[in-house]
Amino acid sequence: MSDFFRWLSTLNPWLEIIVIVGIFLAVVGLILFFIEIAPRKGRMYTIIRLIACVLGPVLVLFLLQSWVEAMIAAAVLGLLFFFLDKRARDGAGSLFQLFGFLTPAIVLLAIGLIVPTIQTTVQAFMNSRGNTFVGFENFAWIFTQPANVRIVINTIVWVLVAPIISTIAGLAYAYFIDKSRGERYYKILVFMPMAISFVGASIIWRFMYTVRPAGSNQIGFLNQIIVWFGGQPLNFLAVEPWNTLFLIVVLIWIQTGFAMVILSAAIKGVPTEQLEAAELDGTNAWQKFINVVVPGIRPALIVVLTTISIASLKVFDIVRTMTAGANNTSVLANEMYTQFRSFEAGRSAAFAVILFILVLPIVIYNAVQLKKQREVR
Amino acid sequence: MSAVMPVDLPIDEEGQDELSRGARRADKIQLGATKRKLSSPWATAAALIIAVLWTIPTFGLLISSFRPRELIQTTGWWTVFENWGWTLDNYSTALQTGNSQLNMAGAFVNSFAITIPATVIPISIALLAAYAFAWMDFRGKDTLFILVFALQIVPIQMALIPLLQLFSQGTIFGFPVIEAFGSFGYAQVWIAHTIFALPLTIYLLHNFVSEIPREVIEAARVDGAGHGQIFFRLILPLTMPAIASVAIFQFLWVWNDLLVALIFADGNVAPITKLLAEMTGSRGQDWHLLTAGAFIALVVPLVVFLSLQRFFVRGLLAGSTKG
């Protein structure tokens, strides 16, 4: 396989796209072909099936690494699989089909997510070279250094501030523009930052925050506003502890559009009868909003809040591009990368594990809510 | 990637229009009872202010990217009428800047070379799995599906370093498993993005694929179609719009990604986001380059977003975002 990738990397990038996508689709086509003929009766189909059963595993192992023993093992497994398949509950070929559909995804997930998660967790308890077990030393190091404690606190500030403000802004906006003329265009304007990369957004906001010495022309819009109001230009990214909040503004700017789109659709799902009933009861606009609309869109609110919370926990690009963690603005994901770059694999893994632990309760809450919803239905 | 549950909402933009049109008509009949609060001038004003606030940053970047270097460095973009001057030089210079191995123009091409396969491959694999989860019966199906869904809780930070070791040394826990292919082109970025996309993509596509009426599938089975044919002749065409939504997401996500690129795309295969981040670090005050560079990186996702917005929103409403 490495020979193939080596050859591929000598091509022109555009040609490379065509070749890899083409080969990949051909492989998928082949899988589908075998899936299709798997349950058919007749000697010829049996032979094709037998060949596929044995050849598949052998080929995979050959591509990965040419181990003779492994190939023999695979061939034996393939044969076994073939005979199992003939006696399967749902008739000949059913197991084969199932494997054809599921194997690519399951194998990739196992290799790429399940095993690495275990590895990282183990790594978190090892020293920087990954060969000696050091117990909780990495975690102790994190929670005894003031700079690192600050990183954890910063991450928590991100999770507390970003989701709440973007949800409120998105909800207000969605409600304001609901059924107004030109709603579509209003939506596009606020939704557009969603398409912009975090790196691009960071550059946009660095430009907004740029500072020049007092007395000279400002080129950063925000500092110009401060100057217009008679203030002193402010180096937004260097004033602790507020600089973290100025970074959070970027995420809010991006995520408000997301909140707005989801909540706007939810608001449209609130039954008109309920709104009218509230109207007849003589409620004012605010009461109607709080007592009818907000309860009506509760599930959507939860989705928006959880999604943005998880995004803020994992925020990396913004911090990396705006400050690279300088002036006490670092967060877990950024520090994990920094430690990895300085060959501190153990500490890097420990940061990743803390991140994982912080994400966990949000997702569990989410799952519980999902289950409740299902039960109501 | 994030774990998100589905929202039961009207999905189509058209459907929404239809609904709001219906609602508007109903409102008129009711003498605008419901409508009054919505067209209040205060709400409109507030909406306008938010819209302007949200647009100013991008607008300022766009204007600045066309201004000559000296003007950007000394005057604000809002003084563009007093300090008149336009140029395209920033773009041509930005396209040439970069590091010793790569310039911005090359990185732009790299972004395509990374993004297109990293969109096609995970979606095909996920669609196969989604079909099996939706329309095949086997023991432990639900458990396996929940397990796949639950994998979304793994932050990709947990998987980066072991995966890098696997690609560059071919080892898992120090045991050789595959042939190392670390330094050859885009391969490891494609595979990494494919893996990280799978849990969410399988979940989303499963939602769409399982919505196809059972009768349609059963009718096909009675006619003698196998799983392969059903997949190819029924599932693929019927779920095309859904596939498009998911594909746009994946495309934008991969195009805009920085973390995976920093770890897996080294040297001359780096995408544009990585080069831009590098440039902000090393030439943070060269605004004529940064604004133009940022706009070059923005233009593809913006075009995709604006032209395919309908699908994008549908994908969002199906219960997804990656963060």
Side-chain angles (χ1 to χ4, degrees):
Chain A
M1 189 156 69
S2 74
D3 289 337
F4 169 68
F5 283 136
R6 185 180 296 143
W7 168 76
L8 202 61
S9 65
T10 59
L11 300 177
N12 173 300
W14 298 110
L15 199 60
E16 213 171 319
I17 298 176
I18 296 169
V19 171
I20 188 79
V21 169
I23 290 179
F24 175 76
L25 291 180
V27 170
V28 171
L30 198 67
I31 293 176
L32 282 174
F33 169 73
F34 281 130
I35 286 172
E36 179 58 28
I37 62 163
R40 292 196 190 164
K41 287 199 176 69
R43 178 171 296 177
M44 195 183 69
Y45 292 122
T46 311
I47 293 171
I48 295 177
R49 209 150 61 218
L50 181 63
I51 293 171
C53 276
V54 180
L55 263 192
V58 170
L59 215 73
V60 168
L61 272 167
F62 177 73
L63 286 174
L64 296 182
Q65 202 161 48
S66 31
W67 290 353
V68 181
E69 300 94 333
M71 283 169 69
I72 295 169
V76 171
L77 271 178
L79 276 172
L80 193 71
F81 175 50
F82 174 72
F83 285 111
L84 270 181
D85 196 41
K86 275 181 84 169
R87 297 163 184 280
R89 192 162 43 101
D90 305 322
S94 66
L95 259 180
F96 183 94
Q97 292 176 312
L98 191 62
F99 272 71
F101 276 120
L102 281 180
T103 314
I106 300 295
V107 167
L108 280 175
L109 285 174
I111 293 179
L113 283 176
I114 298 174
V115 174
T117 303
I118 299 168
Q119 272 182 291
T120 302
T121 315
V122 173
Q123 189 107 59
F125 296 98
M126 301 290 219
N127 66 354
S128 62
R129 298 182 59 198
N131 50 16
T132 321
F133 182 77
V134 295
F136 281 91
E137 206 170 274
N138 292 318
F139 294 95
W141 174 78
I142 289 174
F143 287 106
T144 50
Q145 305 280 317
N148 291 331
V149 175
R150 187 62 196 275
I151 287 163
V152 178
I153 293 174
N154 279 346
T155 308
I156 293 170
V157 171
W158 274 85
V159 182
L160 291 181
V161 176
I164 293 174
I165 299 189
S166 13
T167 308
I168 291 175
L171 179 60
Y173 191 70
Y175 195 60
F176 290 154
I177 63 168
D178 194 41
K179 294 175 197 161
S180 71
R181 206 175 296 160
E183 181 179 347
R184 240 190 114 110
Y185 301 98
Y186 275 124
K187 273 188 182 171
I188 292 178
L189 285 183
V190 170
F191 195 33
M192 207 165 57
M194 273 293 284
I196 296 174
S197 66
F198 282 21
V199 177
S202 302
I203 291 181
I204 291 176
W205 279 91
R206 268 177 60 110
F207 193 48
M208 291 285 284
Y209 288 149
T210 327
V211 64
R212 302 187 79 222
S216 52
N217 283 333
Q218 294 298 323
I219 60 170
F221 191 58
L222 290 178
N223 269 314
Q224 178 69 67
I225 292 175
I226 292 178
V227 170
W228 273 333
F229 281 98
Q232 286 292 311
L234 183 67
N235 190 352
F236 284 95
L237 299 178
V239 274
E240 295 173 42
W242 306 108
N243 46 10
T244 295
L245 289 181
F246 296 133
L247 295 190
I248 295 177
V249 166
V250 183
L251 190 70
I252 293 173
W253 183 68
I254 296 173
Q255 297 287 0
T256 298
F258 162 71
M260 183 266 297
V261 167
I262 301 274
L263 296 175
S264 161
I267 288 173
K268 292 190 192 307
V270 175
T272 329
E273 301 85 60
Q274 284 183 15
L275 289 172
E276 278 157 10
E279 195 103 352
L280 288 177
D281 289 346
T283 54
N284 63 28
W286 173 250
Q287 285 168 328
K288 196 167 63 183
F289 176 73
I290 288 296
N291 296 328
V292 182
V293 176
V294 171
I297 58 172
R298 218 177 93 87
L301 275 174
I302 291 170
V303 170
V304 169
L305 278 171
T306 22
T307 311
I308 304 179
S309 303
I310 294 173
S312 358
L313 265 178
K314 294 197 270 186
V315 70
F316 167 76
D317 315 33
I318 294 174
V319 176
R320 193 85 212 155
T321 325
M322 303 261 308
T323 62
N327 299 321
N328 277 327
T329 51
S330 194
V331 290
L332 285 173
N334 179 57
E335 201 54 25
M336 177 251 149
Y337 180 74
T338 313
Q339 294 296 334
F340 163 71
R341 275 283 111 141
S342 48
F343 302 103
E344 289 283 357
R347 290 175 180 179
S348 171
F351 276 114
V353 169
I354 295 176
L355 185 63
F356 181 62
I357 293 169
L358 287 178
V359 172
L360 216 54
I362 301 180
V363 176
I364 291 173
Y365 174 74
N366 211 9
V368 171
Q369 287 295 327
L370 180 70
K371 210 172 151 232
K372 267 189 201 159
Q373 259 181 315
R374 287 258 165 92
E375 278 162 6
V376 170
R377 253 176 241 166
Chain B
M1 272 169 279
S2 59
V4 162
M5 47 192 173
V7 211
D8 272 320
L9 297 170
I11 277 182
D12 222 20
E13 185 93 323
E14 272 174 1
Q16 277 178 30
D17 283 352
E18 206 72 34
L19 275 178
S20 56
R21 222 175 290 146
R24 245 177 271 152
R25 210 168 297 145
D27 288 341
K28 269 180 200 149
I29 296 166
Q30 301 250 341
L31 292 172
T34 341
K35 212 187 160 192
R36 207 178 307 134
K37 67 123 213 290
L38 301 159
S39 51
S40 110
W42 290 108
T44 314
L48 257 176
I49 290 171
I50 297 181
V52 170
L53 277 181
W54 251 250
T55 320
I56 281 182
T58 322
F59 184 70
L61 178 94
L62 180 61
I63 301 270
S64 299
S65 69
F66 289 107
R67 302 183 72 210
R69 181 181 178 169
E70 306 73 46
L71 286 178
I72 298 188
Q73 300 289 9
T74 52
T75 59
W77 52 265
W78 52 92
T79 65
V80 69
F81 290 107
E82 302 150 45
N83 304 294
W84 192 255
W86 299 94
T87 175
L88 281 172
D89 289 350
N90 296 341
Y91 282 89
S92 54
T93 327
L95 282 171
Q96 301 304 320
T97 22
N99 52 32
S100 55
Q101 287 164 301
L102 187 70
N103 61 18
M104 196 72 104
F108 188 69
V109 175
N110 281 345
S111 272
F112 278 106
I114 288 171
T115 310
I116 295 173
T119 305
V120 176
I121 295 175
I123 287 179
S124 317
I125 293 179
L127 195 61
L128 286 178
Y131 175 78
F133 281 126
W135 296 109
M136 292 174 95
D137 284 323
F138 55 94
R139 216 181 297 153
K141 180 164 97 166
D142 290 339
T143 320
L144 194 61
F145 183 66
I146 289 170
L147 180 77
V148 170
F149 174 72
L151 280 177
Q152 288 178 81
I153 66 171
V154 179
I156 58 176
Q157 282 87 349
M158 286 289 274
L160 292 176
I161 300 165
L163 207 55
L164 185 69
Q165 277 165 1
L166 179 67
F167 291 154
S168 61
Q169 297 154 21
T171 58
I172 292 179
F173 278 117
F175 298 109
V177 180
I178 59 164
E179 237 177 309
F181 55 87
S183 52
F184 306 129
Y186 309 106
Q188 44 177 356
V189 204
W190 293 330
I191 298 176
H193 273 304
T194 301
I195 290 169
F196 297 146
L198 278 178
L200 185 71
T201 320
I202 292 177
Y203 172 71
L204 283 180
L205 288 174
H206 172 266
N207 284 354
F208 288 118
V209 169
S210 57
E211 263 171 27
I212 294 170
R214 182 163 281 275
E215 302 83 61
V216 175
I217 307 276
E218 265 159 17
R221 307 222 74 173
V222 170
D223 289 347
H227 282 301
Q229 270 189 337
I230 292 178
F231 182 86
F232 207 68
R233 298 249 176 95
L234 276 180
I235 305 289
L236 212 54
L238 283 178
T239 49
M240 232 0 154
I243 295 172
S245 321
V246 180
I248 292 164
F249 258 113
Q250 177 66 8
F251 184 93
L252 289 181
W253 197 71
V254 175
W255 184 279
N256 288 337
D257 157 82
L258 176 67
L259 183 58
V260 176
L262 276 175
I263 303 244
F264 293 104
D266 264 332
N268 59 353
V269 299
I272 197 160
T273 46
K274 189 179 171 184
L275 221 65
L276 260 182
E278 224 172 71
M279 216 157 90
T280 3
S282 58
R283 324 185 57 157
Q285 297 307 316
D286 290 347
W287 287 112
H288 64 294
L289 293 180
L290 282 176
T291 50
F295 203 75
I296 295 168
L298 295 187
V299 77
V300 172
L302 272 189
V303 167
V304 169
F305 168 75
L306 289 177
S307 54
L308 300 168
Q309 213 207 125
R310 219 167 72 94
F311 293 108
F312 186 73
V313 171
R314 183 212 294 260
L316 261 188
L317 296 184
S320 72
T321 42
K322 298 174 155 198

